[in-house]
Amino acid sequence: MTFRPAFDIALEYEGAAVFLRPSLLAATRLEALHNGFPALLMKIQQHDTTTLRRIIAYAATDQNAAQRFIKAMANKPLKDIQHAALGPA
């Protein structure tokens, strides 16, 4: 088992796993894409799949794992993607 700092966020979907690390760089890139945090937060609340894919890509500690995870989610029901992003209740 590999040690992961407490601030990494693990996502898993159909055998694909990715670790996300919140960073100022990722936040800045996401904010710029949406012309501000209010619009970014609205897209997240709406479970906008493009925004979710970009969050995964920008915050991933391993870009290859991020692309595998994103491909695993392609053409899947939004409810499944939401469950993977939120984790178990």
Side-chain angles (χ1 to χ4, degrees):
M1 185 166 130
T2 305
F3 173 75
R4 289 283 176 195
F7 51 83
D8 282 0
I9 300 163
L11 296 179
E12 186 175 355
Y13 185 72
E14 292 189 353
V18 65
F19 290 92
L20 306 181
R21 181 169 295 158
S23 71
L24 185 56
L25 176 60
T28 301
R29 291 176 73 188
L30 290 163
E31 184 271 342
L33 284 173
H34 295 86
N35 297 315
F37 282 109
L40 170 61
L41 295 174
M42 183 182 304
K43 289 292 189 180
I44 292 170
Q45 286 180 329
Q46 295 170 346
H47 301 288
D48 178 71
T49 55
T50 300
T51 301
L52 295 176
R53 285 192 300 266
R54 286 185 172 158
I55 290 169
I56 293 166
Y58 292 167
T61 59
D62 178 337
Q63 285 301 305
N64 292 325
Q67 292 309 311
R68 284 191 301 273
F69 188 85
I70 290 168
K71 286 180 184 176
M73 293 173 55
N75 301 316
K76 300 295 181 183
L78 187 55
K79 186 170 184 106
D80 290 354
I81 296 168
Q82 179 184 6
H83 180 71
L86 296 177

